[in-house]
Every structure is written in C-alpha cells, then in structure tokens.
Coordinates of all heavy atoms in Angstrom, one line a residue:
M1 N 39.4 5.8 -19.7 CA 38.5 5.6 -20.8 C 38.8 4.3 -21.5 O 39.9 4.0 -21.8 CB 38.5 6.8 -21.8 CG 37.5 6.6 -22.9 SD 37.4 8.1 -23.9 CE 36.1 9.0 -23.0
H2 N 37.7 3.6 -21.8 CA 37.9 2.3 -22.4 C 38.1 2.5 -23.9 O 37.5 3.3 -24.5 CB 36.6 1.4 -22.2 CG 36.4 1.1 -20.8 ND1 37.0 0.0 -20.2 CD2 35.7 1.7 -19.8 CE1 36.7 -0.1 -19.0 NE2 35.9 0.9 -18.7
A3 N 38.9 1.6 -24.5 CA 39.2 1.7 -26.0 C 37.9 1.3 -26.8 O 37.7 1.7 -27.8 CB 40.4 0.9 -26.3
Q4 N 37.2 0.3 -26.2 CA 36.0 -0.2 -26.9 C 34.8 0.2 -26.1 O 34.6 0.0 -25.0 CB 36.1 -1.7 -26.9 CG 35.0 -2.4 -27.7 CD 35.2 -3.9 -27.7 OE1 36.0 -4.4 -27.1 NE2 34.3 -4.6 -28.4
E5 N 33.8 0.8 -26.8 CA 32.6 1.2 -26.2 C 31.5 0.1 -26.3 O 31.5 -0.7 -27.2 CB 32.0 2.5 -26.9 CG 32.8 3.7 -26.7 CD 32.1 4.9 -27.2 OE1 30.9 4.9 -27.4 OE2 32.8 5.9 -27.4
T6 N 30.7 0.1 -25.2 CA 29.6 -0.9 -25.2 C 28.5 -0.4 -26.0 O 28.1 0.8 -26.0 CB 29.1 -1.1 -23.7 OG1 30.2 -1.5 -22.9 CG2 28.0 -2.1 -23.7
T7 N 28.0 -1.3 -26.9 CA 26.8 -0.9 -27.7 C 25.6 -1.5 -27.0 O 25.5 -2.7 -26.7 CB 27.0 -1.6 -29.1 OG1 28.2 -1.1 -29.7 CG2 25.8 -1.2 -30.0
I8 N 24.6 -0.6 -26.9 CA 23.3 -1.0 -26.3 C 22.3 -1.1 -27.4 O 22.2 -0.1 -28.2 CB 22.9 0.0 -25.2 CG1 23.9 0.1 -24.1 CG2 21.5 -0.4 -24.6 CD1 23.7 1.2 -23.1
R9 N 21.5 -2.2 -27.5 CA 20.5 -2.3 -28.4 C 19.2 -2.5 -27.7 O 19.1 -3.4 -26.8 CB 20.7 -3.5 -29.3 CG 21.7 -3.2 -30.4 CD 21.7 -4.3 -31.5 NE 20.4 -4.8 -31.8 CZ 20.2 -6.1 -32.2 NH1 21.1 -7.0 -32.2 NH2 18.9 -6.4 -32.5
L10 N 18.2 -1.7 -28.0 CA 16.8 -1.8 -27.4 C 15.9 -2.2 -28.5 O 15.8 -1.5 -29.5 CB 16.4 -0.6 -26.7 CG 17.1 -0.2 -25.4 CD1 18.4 0.6 -25.7 CD2 16.2 0.6 -24.5
S11 N 15.1 -3.3 -28.3 CA 14.1 -3.7 -29.2 C 12.8 -3.8 -28.5 O 12.7 -4.6 -27.5 CB 14.5 -5.0 -29.9 OG 15.7 -4.9 -30.6
L12 N 11.8 -3.1 -28.9 CA 10.4 -3.2 -28.3 C 9.5 -4.0 -29.2 O 9.3 -3.6 -30.4 CB 9.9 -1.8 -28.1 CG 8.4 -1.7 -27.5 CD1 8.4 -2.4 -26.1 CD2 7.9 -0.3 -27.5
Y13 N 9.0 -5.1 -28.7 CA 8.1 -5.9 -29.4 C 6.7 -5.6 -29.0 O 6.4 -5.5 -27.8 CB 8.3 -7.4 -29.1 CG 9.7 -7.9 -29.6 CD1 10.8 -7.5 -29.0 CD2 9.8 -8.7 -30.8 CE1 12.1 -7.9 -29.4 CE2 11.0 -9.1 -31.2 CZ 12.1 -8.7 -30.6 OH 13.4 -9.1 -31.1
G14 N 5.8 -5.3 -30.0 CA 4.5 -4.9 -29.7 C 3.6 -4.9 -31.0 O 4.0 -5.4 -32.0
S15 N 2.4 -4.3 -30.8 CA 1.5 -4.2 -32.0 C 1.3 -2.7 -32.2 O 1.0 -2.0 -31.3 CB 0.2 -4.9 -31.6 OG 0.4 -6.2 -31.3
E16 N 1.4 -2.4 -33.5 CA 1.2 -1.0 -33.9 C -0.3 -0.6 -33.6 O -1.2 -1.4 -33.8 CB 1.4 -0.8 -35.4 CG 1.3 0.6 -35.9 CD 1.6 0.7 -37.4 OE1 2.2 -0.2 -37.9 OE2 1.3 1.8 -37.9
G17 N -0.4 0.5 -32.9 CA -1.7 1.0 -32.5 C -2.2 0.6 -31.2 O -3.2 1.0 -30.7
S18 N -1.5 -0.3 -30.5 CA -1.8 -0.8 -29.2 C -1.5 0.2 -28.2 O -0.4 0.8 -28.1 CB -1.0 -2.1 -28.9 OG -1.0 -2.4 -27.5
R19 N -2.5 0.4 -27.3 CA -2.3 1.4 -26.2 C -1.1 1.0 -25.3 O -0.4 1.9 -24.8 CB -3.5 1.6 -25.4 CG -4.6 2.3 -26.1 CD -5.8 2.5 -25.3 NE -6.9 2.9 -26.1 CZ -8.1 3.3 -25.7 NH1 -8.3 3.3 -24.4 NH2 -9.0 3.7 -26.5
T20 N -1.0 -0.3 -25.0 CA 0.0 -0.7 -24.1 C 1.4 -0.6 -24.7 O 2.4 -0.2 -24.1 CB -0.2 -2.2 -23.6 OG1 -0.3 -3.0 -24.7 CG2 -1.4 -2.3 -22.7
T21 N 1.5 -0.9 -26.0 CA 2.7 -0.7 -26.7 C 3.1 0.8 -26.7 O 4.3 1.1 -26.5 CB 2.6 -1.2 -28.1 OG1 2.4 -2.7 -28.1 CG2 3.9 -1.0 -28.9
L22 N 2.2 1.7 -27.0 CA 2.5 3.1 -27.0 C 2.9 3.6 -25.6 O 3.9 4.4 -25.5 CB 1.2 3.9 -27.4 CG 1.4 5.4 -27.4 CD1 2.5 5.9 -28.4 CD2 0.1 6.1 -27.9
R23 N 2.3 3.1 -24.6 CA 2.7 3.4 -23.2 C 4.1 3.0 -22.9 O 4.9 3.7 -22.3 CB 1.7 2.8 -22.2 CG 1.9 3.3 -20.8 CD 1.5 4.8 -20.7 NE 2.3 5.4 -19.6 CZ 2.8 6.6 -19.6 NH1 2.5 7.4 -20.6 NH2 3.5 7.1 -18.7
A24 N 4.5 1.8 -23.3 CA 5.8 1.2 -23.1 C 6.8 2.1 -23.9 O 7.9 2.5 -23.3 CB 5.9 -0.2 -23.6
W25 N 6.5 2.4 -25.1 CA 7.4 3.3 -26.0 C 7.6 4.6 -25.3 O 8.8 5.1 -25.2 CB 6.8 3.5 -27.3 CG 7.6 4.3 -28.3 CD1 7.6 5.7 -28.4 CD2 8.6 3.8 -29.1 NE1 8.5 6.1 -29.3 CE2 9.2 5.0 -29.8 CE3 9.1 2.6 -29.5 CZ2 10.2 4.9 -30.7 CZ3 10.1 2.5 -30.4 CH2 10.7 3.6 -31.0
T26 N 6.6 5.2 -24.8 CA 6.7 6.5 -24.1 C 7.5 6.4 -22.9 O 8.4 7.3 -22.7 CB 5.3 7.1 -23.7 OG1 4.5 7.2 -24.9 CG2 5.3 8.4 -23.0
N27 N 7.3 5.4 -22.1 CA 8.1 5.2 -20.8 C 9.6 5.0 -21.2 O 10.5 5.6 -20.5 CB 7.6 4.1 -20.0 CG 6.2 4.5 -19.4 OD1 5.9 5.6 -19.1 ND2 5.4 3.5 -19.1
I28 N 9.9 4.2 -22.2 CA 11.2 3.9 -22.5 C 12.0 5.2 -23.0 O 13.1 5.5 -22.6 CB 11.3 2.8 -23.6 CG1 10.8 1.5 -23.0 CG2 12.7 2.6 -24.2 CD1 10.4 0.5 -24.1
T29 N 11.3 5.9 -23.9 CA 12.0 7.1 -24.4 C 12.1 8.2 -23.4 O 13.1 8.9 -23.4 CB 11.2 7.7 -25.7 OG1 9.8 7.9 -25.3 CG2 11.2 6.7 -26.8
Q30 N 11.2 8.2 -22.4 CA 11.4 9.2 -21.3 C 12.6 8.8 -20.4 O 13.3 9.7 -20.0 CB 10.1 9.3 -20.4 CG 9.0 10.0 -21.1 CD 7.7 10.0 -20.3 OE1 7.5 9.2 -19.4 NE2 6.7 10.8 -20.7
V31 N 12.8 7.5 -20.2 CA 13.9 7.1 -19.4 C 15.2 7.4 -20.1 O 16.2 8.0 -19.6 CB 13.9 5.6 -19.1 CG1 15.2 5.1 -18.6 CG2 12.7 5.3 -18.1
L32 N 15.3 7.1 -21.4 CA 16.5 7.4 -22.2 C 16.8 8.9 -22.2 O 17.9 9.3 -22.0 CB 16.3 6.9 -23.7 CG 16.3 5.4 -23.9 CD1 15.9 5.1 -25.3 CD2 17.6 4.8 -23.5
E33 N 15.8 9.7 -22.3 CA 15.9 11.2 -22.3 C 16.4 11.7 -20.9 O 17.4 12.5 -20.8 CB 14.6 11.9 -22.6 CG 14.8 13.4 -22.9 CD 13.4 13.9 -23.4 OE1 12.9 13.5 -24.4 OE2 12.9 14.9 -22.7
A34 N 15.9 11.1 -19.9 CA 16.3 11.5 -18.5 C 17.7 11.1 -18.2 O 18.4 11.8 -17.4 CB 15.3 10.9 -17.5
L35 N 18.2 10.1 -18.8 CA 19.6 9.6 -18.6 C 20.5 10.2 -19.6 O 21.7 9.9 -19.6 CB 19.6 8.1 -18.6 CG 18.9 7.3 -17.5 CD1 19.0 5.8 -17.8 CD2 19.5 7.7 -16.2
G36 N 20.0 11.1 -20.4 CA 20.9 11.7 -21.5 C 21.3 10.7 -22.5 O 22.3 10.8 -23.2
M37 N 20.5 9.7 -22.7 CA 20.8 8.6 -23.7 C 19.8 8.6 -24.9 O 19.5 7.6 -25.5 CB 20.7 7.2 -23.0 CG 21.7 7.1 -21.9 SD 21.6 5.5 -21.1 CE 22.1 4.4 -22.3
D38 N 19.2 9.8 -25.1 CA 18.1 9.9 -26.2 C 18.7 9.6 -27.6 O 17.9 9.4 -28.5 CB 17.3 11.2 -26.1 CG 18.2 12.4 -25.9 OD1 19.3 12.3 -25.3 OD2 17.9 13.4 -26.5
A39 N 20.0 9.5 -27.7 CA 20.5 9.2 -29.0 C 20.5 7.7 -29.3 O 20.8 7.2 -30.4 CB 22.0 9.7 -29.1
V40 N 20.3 6.9 -28.2 CA 20.2 5.4 -28.4 C 18.9 5.1 -29.1 O 17.8 5.4 -28.6 CB 20.3 4.8 -27.0 CG1 20.0 3.2 -27.1 CG2 21.6 5.0 -26.3
P41 N 19.0 4.4 -30.2 CA 17.7 4.1 -30.9 C 17.0 3.0 -30.3 O 17.5 2.1 -29.7 CB 18.2 3.7 -32.3 CG 19.6 3.2 -32.1 CD 20.1 4.0 -30.9
V42 N 15.7 3.0 -30.4 CA 14.8 1.9 -29.9 C 14.1 1.4 -31.2 O 13.4 2.0 -31.9 CB 13.7 2.4 -28.9 CG1 12.8 1.3 -28.5 CG2 14.3 3.2 -27.8
E43 N 14.4 0.1 -31.4 CA 13.9 -0.6 -32.6 C 12.5 -1.1 -32.2 O 12.3 -1.7 -31.2 CB 14.8 -1.8 -32.9 CG 14.2 -2.6 -34.0 CD 14.9 -3.9 -34.2 OE1 15.6 -4.4 -33.3 OE2 14.8 -4.5 -35.3
F44 N 11.5 -0.8 -33.1 CA 10.2 -1.4 -32.9 C 10.0 -2.6 -33.8 O 10.2 -2.5 -35.0 CB 9.1 -0.3 -33.2 CG 7.7 -0.8 -33.1 CD1 7.2 -1.2 -31.8 CD2 6.9 -1.0 -34.2 CE1 5.9 -1.7 -31.7 CE2 5.6 -1.5 -34.1 CZ 5.1 -1.9 -32.8
V45 N 9.6 -3.7 -33.2 CA 9.3 -4.9 -33.9 C 7.8 -5.2 -33.8 O 7.3 -5.5 -32.7 CB 10.1 -6.1 -33.4 CG1 9.8 -7.3 -34.2 CG2 11.6 -5.8 -33.4
D46 N 7.1 -5.0 -34.9 CA 5.7 -5.3 -34.9 C 5.5 -6.8 -35.0 O 5.8 -7.4 -36.0 CB 5.0 -4.6 -36.1 CG 3.5 -4.7 -36.0 OD1 2.9 -5.7 -35.6 OD2 2.8 -3.7 -36.3
V47 N 4.9 -7.4 -33.9 CA 4.8 -8.9 -33.8 C 3.9 -9.4 -34.9 O 4.0 -10.6 -35.3 CB 4.4 -9.3 -32.4 CG1 5.4 -8.9 -31.4 CG2 3.0 -8.8 -32.1
L48 N 2.9 -8.6 -35.4 CA 2.0 -9.1 -36.4 C 2.7 -9.2 -37.8 O 2.4 -10.0 -38.6 CB 0.8 -8.2 -36.5 CG -0.1 -8.2 -35.2 CD1 -1.2 -7.2 -35.4 CD2 -0.6 -9.5 -34.9
H49 N 3.7 -8.3 -38.0 CA 4.4 -8.3 -39.3 C 5.7 -9.1 -39.3 O 6.2 -9.4 -40.3 CB 4.7 -6.8 -39.7 CG 3.5 -6.0 -40.0 ND1 3.1 -5.0 -39.3 CD2 2.6 -6.1 -41.0 CE1 2.0 -4.4 -39.8 NE2 1.7 -5.1 -40.9
H50 N 6.2 -9.4 -38.1 CA 7.4 -10.2 -38.0 C 7.3 -11.3 -36.9 O 8.0 -11.4 -35.9 CB 8.6 -9.3 -37.5 CG 8.8 -8.1 -38.5 ND1 9.4 -8.3 -39.7 CD2 8.5 -6.8 -38.4 CE1 9.5 -7.2 -40.3 NE2 8.9 -6.2 -39.6
P51 N 6.3 -12.2 -37.2 CA 6.1 -13.3 -36.2 C 7.3 -14.3 -36.1 O 7.5 -14.8 -35.0 CB 4.8 -14.0 -36.8 CG 4.8 -13.7 -38.2 CD 5.4 -12.3 -38.3
E52 N 8.0 -14.5 -37.1 CA 9.1 -15.4 -37.0 C 10.2 -14.8 -36.1 O 10.8 -15.6 -35.3 CB 9.7 -15.7 -38.4 CG 10.3 -14.6 -39.2 CD 9.4 -13.4 -39.7 OE1 8.2 -13.7 -39.9 OE2 9.9 -12.3 -39.8
R53 N 10.5 -13.6 -36.2 CA 11.5 -12.9 -35.4 C 11.0 -12.9 -33.9 O 11.8 -13.2 -33.0 CB 11.8 -11.5 -35.8 CG 12.8 -10.9 -34.9 CD 13.5 -9.7 -35.4 NE 14.3 -9.1 -34.4 CZ 14.6 -7.8 -34.4 NH1 14.2 -7.0 -35.3 NH2 15.3 -7.3 -33.4
T54 N 9.7 -12.6 -33.7 CA 9.1 -12.6 -32.4 C 9.3 -14.0 -31.7 O 9.8 -14.1 -30.6 CB 7.6 -12.3 -32.5 OG1 7.5 -11.0 -33.1 CG2 7.0 -12.2 -31.1
F55 N 9.0 -15.0 -32.5 CA 9.2 -16.4 -32.0 C 10.6 -16.7 -31.7 O 11.0 -17.3 -30.7 CB 8.6 -17.4 -33.0 CG 8.7 -18.8 -32.6 CD1 7.9 -19.4 -31.6 CD2 9.7 -19.6 -33.2 CE1 8.1 -20.7 -31.2 CE2 9.9 -20.9 -32.8 CZ 9.0 -21.5 -31.8
D56 N 11.5 -16.4 -32.7 CA 13.0 -16.7 -32.5 C 13.6 -16.0 -31.3 O 14.5 -16.5 -30.6 CB 13.7 -16.2 -33.8 CG 13.5 -17.1 -35.0 OD1 12.9 -18.2 -34.8 OD2 13.8 -16.7 -36.1
D57 N 13.1 -14.8 -31.0 CA 13.6 -14.1 -29.8 C 12.9 -14.4 -28.5 O 13.2 -13.8 -27.5 CB 13.5 -12.5 -30.1 CG 14.5 -12.1 -31.1 OD1 15.4 -12.8 -31.4 OD2 14.3 -11.0 -31.7
G58 N 12.0 -15.4 -28.6 CA 11.3 -15.9 -27.4 C 10.3 -14.9 -26.7 O 10.0 -15.0 -25.6
V59 N 9.7 -14.0 -27.6 CA 8.7 -13.1 -27.1 C 7.4 -13.8 -27.1 O 6.9 -14.3 -28.1 CB 8.7 -11.8 -27.9 CG1 7.6 -10.9 -27.5 CG2 10.0 -11.1 -27.8
L60 N 6.7 -13.9 -25.9 CA 5.4 -14.5 -25.8 C 4.3 -13.6 -25.6 O 3.1 -13.9 -25.9 CB 5.4 -15.5 -24.7 CG 6.5 -16.7 -24.8 CD1 6.5 -17.5 -23.5 CD2 6.2 -17.5 -26.0
V61 N 4.5 -12.4 -25.0 CA 3.5 -11.4 -24.7 C 4.0 -10.0 -25.2 O 5.2 -9.8 -25.2 CB 3.1 -11.4 -23.3 CG1 2.4 -12.7 -22.9 CG2 4.2 -11.1 -22.3
T62 N 3.1 -9.1 -25.4 CA 3.5 -7.8 -25.7 C 2.8 -6.8 -24.8 O 1.8 -7.1 -24.3 CB 3.1 -7.4 -27.2 OG1 1.7 -7.5 -27.3 CG2 3.8 -8.3 -28.2
P63 N 3.5 -5.7 -24.6 CA 4.8 -5.3 -25.1 C 5.9 -6.0 -24.3 O 5.8 -6.3 -23.1 CB 4.9 -3.8 -24.9 CG 3.9 -3.5 -23.8 CD 2.9 -4.6 -23.8
T64 N 7.0 -6.2 -25.0 CA 8.2 -6.8 -24.4 C 9.4 -6.0 -24.9 O 9.5 -5.7 -26.1 CB 8.4 -8.3 -24.8 OG1 7.4 -9.0 -24.2 CG2 9.8 -8.8 -24.3
L65 N 10.3 -5.5 -24.0 CA 11.5 -4.8 -24.3 C 12.7 -5.7 -24.1 O 12.8 -6.3 -23.0 CB 11.7 -3.5 -23.5 CG 13.0 -2.8 -23.6 CD1 13.0 -2.2 -25.1 CD2 13.1 -1.7 -22.6
I66 N 13.5 -5.9 -25.1 CA 14.8 -6.6 -24.9 C 15.9 -5.6 -25.0 O 16.0 -4.9 -26.0 CB 14.9 -7.7 -26.0 CG1 13.8 -8.7 -25.8 CG2 16.3 -8.4 -25.9 CD1 13.8 -9.9 -26.8
V67 N 16.8 -5.7 -24.0 CA 17.9 -4.8 -24.0 C 19.2 -5.7 -24.1 O 19.4 -6.6 -23.3 CB 18.0 -4.0 -22.6 CG1 19.2 -3.1 -22.6 CG2 16.7 -3.2 -22.4
L68 N 19.9 -5.5 -25.2 CA 21.1 -6.3 -25.4 C 22.4 -5.4 -25.4 O 22.4 -4.3 -25.9 CB 21.1 -6.9 -26.8 CG 20.0 -7.9 -27.1 CD1 20.0 -8.2 -28.6 CD2 20.2 -9.1 -26.3
S69 N 23.4 -5.9 -24.7 CA 24.7 -5.3 -24.7 C 25.8 -6.3 -24.5 O 25.7 -7.0 -23.5 CB 24.8 -4.2 -23.7 OG 24.7 -4.7 -22.4
E70 N 26.7 -6.4 -25.4 CA 27.8 -7.4 -25.4 C 27.2 -8.8 -25.0 O 26.5 -9.3 -25.8 CB 28.9 -6.9 -24.4 CG 29.6 -5.7 -25.0 CD 30.8 -5.3 -24.1 OE1 31.1 -5.9 -23.1 OE2 31.4 -4.3 -24.5
D71 N 27.5 -9.3 -23.8 CA 27.1 -10.6 -23.4 C 25.8 -10.6 -22.5 O 25.5 -11.6 -22.0 CB 28.2 -11.4 -22.8 CG 28.7 -10.7 -21.5 OD1 28.3 -9.5 -21.3 OD2 29.3 -11.4 -20.7
K72 N 25.2 -9.5 -22.4 CA 24.0 -9.4 -21.5 C 22.7 -9.2 -22.3 O 22.7 -8.6 -23.3 CB 24.2 -8.2 -20.5 CG 25.4 -8.4 -19.6 CD 25.5 -7.2 -18.7 CE 26.6 -7.4 -17.7 NZ 27.7 -6.5 -18.0
R73 N 21.7 -9.9 -21.7 CA 20.3 -9.8 -22.3 C 19.3 -9.6 -21.2 O 19.2 -10.5 -20.3 CB 20.0 -11.1 -23.1 CG 18.7 -11.0 -23.8 CD 18.5 -12.3 -24.6 NE 17.4 -12.3 -25.5 CZ 16.2 -12.8 -25.3 NH1 15.9 -13.4 -24.2 NH2 15.2 -12.7 -26.2
H74 N 18.6 -8.5 -21.3 CA 17.6 -8.2 -20.3 C 16.2 -8.2 -21.0 O 16.1 -7.6 -22.1 CB 17.8 -6.9 -19.6 CG 19.1 -6.8 -18.9 ND1 19.3 -7.3 -17.6 CD2 20.3 -6.3 -19.3 CE1 20.6 -7.1 -17.2 NE2 21.2 -6.5 -18.2
V75 N 15.2 -8.8 -20.4 CA 13.9 -8.8 -20.9 C 12.9 -8.2 -19.9 O 12.8 -8.6 -18.8 CB 13.4 -10.3 -21.3 CG1 12.0 -10.3 -21.8 CG2 14.4 -10.9 -22.2
L76 N 12.2 -7.1 -20.4 CA 11.2 -6.5 -19.6 C 9.9 -6.6 -20.2 O 9.7 -6.3 -21.4 CB 11.5 -5.0 -19.4 CG 12.9 -4.7 -18.8 CD1 13.1 -3.2 -18.8 CD2 13.0 -5.2 -17.4
V77 N 8.9 -7.2 -19.5 CA 7.6 -7.5 -20.1 C 6.6 -6.4 -19.5 O 6.6 -6.2 -18.3 CB 7.1 -8.9 -19.8 CG1 5.7 -9.1 -20.3 CG2 8.1 -9.9 -20.4
G78 N 5.8 -5.8 -20.4 CA 4.8 -4.9 -19.9 C 5.1 -3.5 -20.4 O 6.0 -3.2 -21.2
T79 N 4.4 -2.5 -19.8 CA 4.5 -1.1 -20.2 C 5.7 -0.4 -19.6 O 5.8 0.8 -19.9 CB 3.2 -0.4 -19.9 OG1 3.0 -0.5 -18.5 CG2 2.0 -1.0 -20.6
V80 N 6.5 -1.0 -18.8 CA 7.6 -0.3 -18.1 C 7.2 0.8 -17.3 O 7.8 1.9 -17.3 CB 8.7 0.1 -19.2 CG1 10.1 0.3 -18.5 CG2 9.0 -1.0 -20.2
E81 N 6.0 0.7 -16.6 CA 5.5 1.8 -15.8 C 6.5 2.0 -14.6 O 6.7 3.1 -14.2 CB 4.2 1.4 -15.2 CG 3.0 1.4 -16.2 CD 2.7 2.8 -16.8 OE1 2.8 3.8 -16.0 OE2 2.4 2.9 -17.9
D82 N 7.1 0.9 -14.1 CA 8.1 1.0 -13.0 C 9.4 1.2 -13.8 O 10.0 0.2 -14.2 CB 8.1 -0.2 -12.1 CG 9.2 -0.1 -11.1 OD1 9.9 0.9 -11.0 OD2 9.3 -1.1 -10.3
T83 N 9.8 2.4 -14.0 CA 11.0 2.7 -14.8 C 12.3 2.4 -14.1 O 13.4 2.4 -14.7 CB 11.0 4.1 -15.3 OG1 11.1 5.0 -14.2 CG2 9.8 4.4 -16.2
S84 N 12.3 2.1 -12.8 CA 13.5 1.9 -12.0 C 14.4 0.7 -12.5 O 15.6 0.8 -12.5 CB 13.2 1.7 -10.5 OG 12.4 0.5 -10.3
I85 N 13.7 -0.3 -13.0 CA 14.5 -1.5 -13.5 C 15.2 -1.1 -14.8 O 16.4 -1.4 -14.9 CB 13.6 -2.7 -13.7 CG1 13.0 -3.1 -12.4 CG2 14.3 -3.8 -14.4 CD1 11.8 -4.1 -12.6
L86 N 14.6 -0.4 -15.7 CA 15.2 0.0 -16.9 C 16.3 1.0 -16.6 O 17.4 0.9 -17.2 CB 14.2 0.6 -17.9 CG 14.8 1.1 -19.2 CD1 15.5 -0.1 -20.0 CD2 13.6 1.6 -20.1
R87 N 16.0 1.9 -15.7 CA 17.1 2.9 -15.4 C 18.3 2.2 -14.8 O 19.4 2.6 -15.2 CB 16.5 3.9 -14.3 CG 15.5 4.9 -14.8 CD 15.0 5.7 -13.7 NE 14.0 6.6 -14.2 CZ 14.2 7.9 -14.6 NH1 15.5 8.3 -14.6 NH2 13.3 8.6 -15.0
E88 N 18.1 1.2 -14.0 CA 19.2 0.5 -13.4 C 20.0 -0.3 -14.5 O 21.3 -0.2 -14.5 CB 18.7 -0.5 -12.4 CG 19.9 -1.2 -11.6 CD 19.4 -2.1 -10.5 OE1 18.3 -1.8 -9.9 OE2 20.0 -3.2 -10.3
I89 N 19.3 -0.9 -15.4 CA 20.0 -1.7 -16.5 C 20.8 -0.7 -17.3 O 22.0 -1.0 -17.6 CB 19.0 -2.4 -17.4 CG1 18.3 -3.5 -16.6 CG2 19.6 -2.9 -18.6 CD1 17.1 -4.1 -17.3
L90 N 20.3 0.4 -17.7 CA 21.0 1.4 -18.5 C 22.1 2.0 -17.8 O 23.2 2.3 -18.4 CB 20.0 2.4 -19.1 CG 18.9 1.8 -20.1 CD1 17.9 2.9 -20.4 CD2 19.6 1.2 -21.3
A91 N 21.9 2.4 -16.5 CA 23.0 3.0 -15.8 C 24.2 2.1 -15.6 O 25.3 2.6 -15.7 CB 22.4 3.4 -14.4
V92 N 24.0 0.8 -15.4 CA 25.1 -0.1 -15.3 C 25.8 -0.2 -16.7 O 27.1 -0.2 -16.7 CB 24.6 -1.5 -14.9 CG1 25.6 -2.6 -15.2 CG2 24.1 -1.5 -13.5
Q93 N 25.1 -0.2 -17.8 CA 25.7 -0.2 -19.1 C 26.6 1.0 -19.3 O 27.7 0.9 -19.8 CB 24.7 -0.3 -20.2 CG 23.8 -1.5 -20.1 CD 24.7 -2.8 -20.0 OE1 25.6 -3.0 -20.8 NE2 24.3 -3.7 -19.2
V94 N 26.1 2.2 -18.9 CA 26.9 3.4 -19.0 C 28.1 3.4 -18.2 O 29.2 3.8 -18.6 CB 26.0 4.7 -18.7 CG1 26.9 5.9 -18.6 CG2 24.9 4.8 -19.7
M95 N 28.0 2.9 -17.0 CA 29.2 2.8 -16.1 C 30.2 1.8 -16.6 O 31.4 2.0 -16.4 CB 28.7 2.3 -14.7 CG 27.9 3.4 -13.9 SD 27.2 2.8 -12.4 CE 28.6 2.2 -11.6
E96 N 29.8 0.8 -17.3 CA 30.8 -0.2 -17.9 C 31.5 0.3 -19.1 O 32.4 -0.3 -19.5 CB 30.0 -1.5 -18.2 CG 29.6 -2.2 -16.9 CD 28.9 -3.5 -17.2 OE1 28.6 -3.8 -18.4 OE2 28.6 -4.2 -16.2
Q97 N 31.0 1.4 -19.7 CA 31.7 1.9 -20.9 C 33.0 2.6 -20.6 O 33.2 3.2 -19.6 CB 30.8 2.9 -21.6 CG 29.6 2.3 -22.3 CD 28.8 3.2 -23.2 OE1 29.1 4.4 -23.2 NE2 27.8 2.7 -23.8

C-alpha cells in the first residue's frame, strides 16, 4: 500500500439546464458508481457564471470534463456517451494508488 494516495479531481464544464451537460453528468456519475468511486466529487463549472475560469482552463466547447490527478490532465469533450475512455482513465488512477 502506498503511503500517499492519489487525489482525483473531476470538473465538468457546461451550462446549467443544457441537455448535453445533463447527459454528460449522468454518464460520469454512472461510471463512478460502477467503479465504486461514487464518493469522488464531480465539480460543476457553469461556463456562463465563470467565463474567466473556463478560459483559463482552456475549455472551448461544452460539455467538457477535465480529470486531474497529480501530474496528469485528461480532457474529454462531449457527453461521454462512450464511457470506456473515462473508465480507463479512472481505472489507471485507482491502480496507481
């Protein structure tokens, strides 16, 4: 067991009330639940209320999910309908812990 645990941060950039943002949120939370990671919080960043952060983080379209852990940054654009990429990213993070 590692003395230091990896911290995973998930930030979903989107627009409140958007169908595509809601679909992305649903897919992300279903993946977390399926992997037993439902305790991992998903931060929602409303691009209309936080345009400066959206710009600073390089988000150009919504929805966009940014997954951060230690020195890794993964960016998934869209509704995450194909959950295999997110599953792979999260599984690797769990294995590295």
Side-chain angles (χ1 to χ4, degrees):
M1 179 173 273
H2 296 273
Q4 181 180 7
E5 288 189 20
T6 302
T7 302
I8 300 171
R9 282 190 42 213
L10 288 89
S11 299
L12 177 62
Y13 293 76
S15 299
E16 187 176 344
S18 162
R19 289 182 192 187
T20 55
T21 298
L22 178 58
R23 188 70 209 143
W25 181 271
T26 300
N27 290 332
I28 294 162
T29 56
Q30 286 176 348
V31 167
L32 290 170
E33 191 174 302
L35 294 175
M37 299 176 70
D38 47 325
V40 174
V42 180
E43 174 190 25
F44 176 70
V45 181
D46 190 319
V47 299
L48 299 175
H49 293 113
H50 302 285
E52 67 290 336
R53 178 164 173 205
T54 302
F55 179 77
D56 290 346
D57 289 344
V59 175
L60 300 176
V61 297
T62 63
T64 294
L65 175 66
I66 297 180
V67 181
L68 294 173
S69 65
E70 293 185 3
D71 62 342
K72 295 181 181 112
R73 181 179 194 260
H74 301 277
V75 179
L76 302 175
V77 177
T79 59
V80 196
E81 290 295 323
D82 178 4
T83 61
S84 63
I85 297 169
L86 180 57
R87 287 175 182 272
E88 184 177 327
I89 291 167
L90 294 174
V92 167
Q93 299 307 315
V94 169
M95 290 174 53
E96 290 180 353
Q97 286 187 359

